[in-house]
Amino acid sequence: MTLLGQQAFTQNNAEGNTQNKKNHQDQPDLLEPVADPIAATDQPIVIQVALPVPLFGVFDYLVPDHLLSQWPFAVGCRMCVPFGKRELVGIYLGQATGDHIQPSKLKTIHSVLDDESLLPDSSLKLLHWAAAYYHYPIGEVISCALPTLLRQGRPYNLLSQYWRLTATAERDTLKRAPKQLQAFDLLKLHDEHGAPESVLLLMGASKKQLQLLEEKGLAECFLQKTEHPPHPVKLAEMPLVANAEQQQAIDTIQQHLGSFKGILLDGLTGSGKTEVYLQAMQPVLEAGQQVLVLVPEIGLTPQTLERFRSRFQCDIVAMHSNLTDVARLQAWQEAQTGRAQIVIGTRSAVFTPMPKLGLIIIDEEHDVSFKQQDTFRYHARDVALCRGHRESCPVVLGSATPCLESLHLVSEGKLLALKLTQRAGNAALAKIQLIDLKKQTREHGLARDLIDAIKQRLKKDEQVLIFLNRRGYAPILLCPQCAWQADCPSCDAHLTVHRQPAEHLHCHHCNYQSRLPTACPSCQFGGLSPTGMGTARLEEGLKELFPDTDVLRVDRDSTSRVGSWERIYKRAHQEKSAILLGTQMLAKGHHFPHVTLVAILDVDGGFLNVDFRAPERTAQLIMQVAGRAGRGQKAGLVLIQTFKPENPLLQLLIQQGYAAFADTCLAERKAMLLPPYRYCALIRAETPQAEKSLQFLQHVVGLLYSQPDAQQRDHSPLEIWGPVPAPMERRAGVFRAHVLIFCKDRRLLHQLLGNWWRQVGKLPERRGVRCSIDIDAQELS
């Protein structure tokens, strides 16, 4: 949650009419949409509208006489309203009641955009809960749940482009333009009602030729609403034969259909969790209901879509940030009207209205990508569990490395655990071995034993996956003469050397870029040295070591072009030797049947991080990357390079597995009263001066302690760590500090935070400070 400074806060509050503003109650359970009673015709009608502004509460407006014919409005419809000198698109939440209303001081709405509700009652209740739980303005929460075009006030009924010939069109004018003539003949097959552009493109016409016909006055384009009735669900292929553990998991999930149950599907990598999903959802789809599937990364969406479409002949839509605004609105409408039977999306899809929701699946539930890290800081996994409870449908959390919070909920009986301990097709788990870098010589960052192992696999025409979670060419540019290093002028971070598309320095934190200097700025020495290893530099080294083998690099730089990741994925599925090199994009749920060797080059940093969650994240990453090996018929091997092979946590992980590692971490968390054994909130402050961030947080901590329930019998139920500078104190030109607030009682914590956070927004000291609150924070950086 990012609010504006005190100056902007005061300005917006003034321009929006203080009489228009009405605060919600603080308790999450009490925040429900206002009922819409029938208004008396002789009294002015005052309504409540949620607006996308960084102010808590909803706003009161009058209904003008010329809109009374449309009354009553549908709760959840959009309307245009004045807000200061602007016009905003808001959501109608109901009729305002109470003695506080002064109609003479209220503004009137401009227009009503929808005849029907865009957000059903169940969606509005979920959004109210999320706004209260994460302490974020309800108007901005609702805005996050709508596609961009709807937020802009565009029509809900998205019209499709149709083409038809004009009344005066003559074929003879196109004798010298054969391609345009072909498009003309296709249009001639249709009457004056025309044909959809999508159909014409499938028939062989091109967009360019249609536009040329339009320029010549031979064809015209017009918009028309199209209806797509839902198709009956059919199996495109027969389900695979499930083993005993898979069948038990399928049966258990299906037994809970029609009611809420949180289910943790804890299965090894390659144990067939996706097949469990597919078979468990079949009766849901056959009953005419919808299934919501959340994946952590956009890169997993095409793979998941392909797998689901190969099993079911039904309407399946994808929802993620790489879609165009029009495509996203179309997918949202398919889900909102119930036409889409399966919705596959990233975290924001959790708010998509689905009137016939029957099952929610969260794949790779441990992944931190499900937590929004800026603005509205919600966790899609927790929101999905709340949604399942409210809409009486089971929620399946799938992972080979469940997060500690989920395992704790299992121990408390709040989640039902289902285990898959066998790999599908009787494939054996890959063996994990450590390589002590203190005893090995290295070439291009690879130990001699690792190079030999790669050669052996490539000779057998097998594939190798090398994991290095550091993109770019080199992480440091160093002067060997005076030890100068290229640092970001706006962050406490080194600049990364990149060679593509041209040589330059790049900050991965604030996106600052500069040319590569020809000499040291400090001592003028001309031999600056790129130091360290990034994926681009390692790619060069691998091509030098293995010149006859394809090296497929997978990171944000190499997959930025449309279709690049799909081409890499297709090549990886060919039964031919190759080296896959990449960052954590390779670690999440991908199936590479021909990979028999996985190499992890750097794991030590993850166990030494200041964040108490870092060892858990590192272990999950190791096991997820290791799970890419040996998924086919051949045995797999995992080699991990480390300078600390004696690390007890690392030894525990590779010798006894993730379950034993998680038990040890949970015991440590319990002894230290860290989450999940206490609930936490992280308060961040950012200012151009380091001292001001700390001073502001010290002031707001004092304000928190002054709350009535913050002191109980001479002691506080809260434990506060800080304020302290953030691990990376300076980022993008501002200094950051934070405070961690712990409490054993979740309800008490939110009660205290709700009253206090609204007071923080009104403090005079807030001027020039950008602050935010992060409930159940997943990262301290």
Side-chain angles (χ1 to χ4, degrees), residues 3 118 123 138 460:
L3 298 178
L118 296 187
S123 292
I138 180 62
K460 298 177 182 178

Side-chain angles (χ1 to χ4, degrees), residues 28-29 122 125-130 133-134 260 350-351 360 362 379-393 395:
D29 294 340
S122 58
K125 287 181 178 179
L126 179 69
L127 293 168
H128 275 86
W129 172 86
Y133 185 80
Y134 292 104
F260 170 71
V350 73
F351 294 111
I360 301 175
I362 305 179
H379 201 305
R381 181 192 64 224
D382 297 339
V383 175
L385 287 168
C386 179
R387 182 172 186 177
H389 181 264
R390 289 174 174 270
E391 301 196 31
S392 298
C393 72
V395 180

Side-chain angles (χ1 to χ4, degrees), residues 352-365:
T352 304
M354 299 174 68
K356 297 179 286 186
L357 184 62
L359 177 64
I360 301 175
I361 295 171
I362 305 179
D363 196 26
E364 309 295 346
E365 64 87 27

Side-chain angles (χ1 to χ4, degrees), residues 189-229:
L189 296 174
H190 301 85
D191 55 19
E192 67 275 7
H193 298 296
E197 182 180 285
S198 58
V199 172
L200 293 171
L201 295 180
L202 288 174
M203 295 175 69
S206 69
K207 178 85 172 191
K208 181 179 179 181
Q209 303 309 322
L210 292 171
Q211 291 172 338
L212 289 173
L213 290 177
E214 184 179 30
E215 291 174 4
K216 294 179 179 180
L218 302 177
E220 60 183 357
C221 179
F222 62 99
L223 299 177
Q224 183 170 303
K225 183 180 177 181
T226 55
E227 294 290 345
H228 302 285

Side-chain angles (χ1 to χ4, degrees), residues 487-493 507 509-510 687-688 690 725-737:
D487 293 331
C488 177
S490 302
C491 303
D492 291 336
C507 177
H509 301 282
C510 71
T687 66
M728 181 184 290
E729 183 178 13
R730 189 169 62 105
R731 182 172 179 175
V734 297
F735 291 87
R736 307 180 306 148

Side-chain angles (χ1 to χ4, degrees), residues 7-21:
Q7 184 176 4
F9 182 96
T10 305
Q11 179 183 354
N12 280 345
N13 197 22
E15 71 176 8
N17 281 345
T18 55
Q19 284 297 327
N20 279 33
K21 186 171 181 286

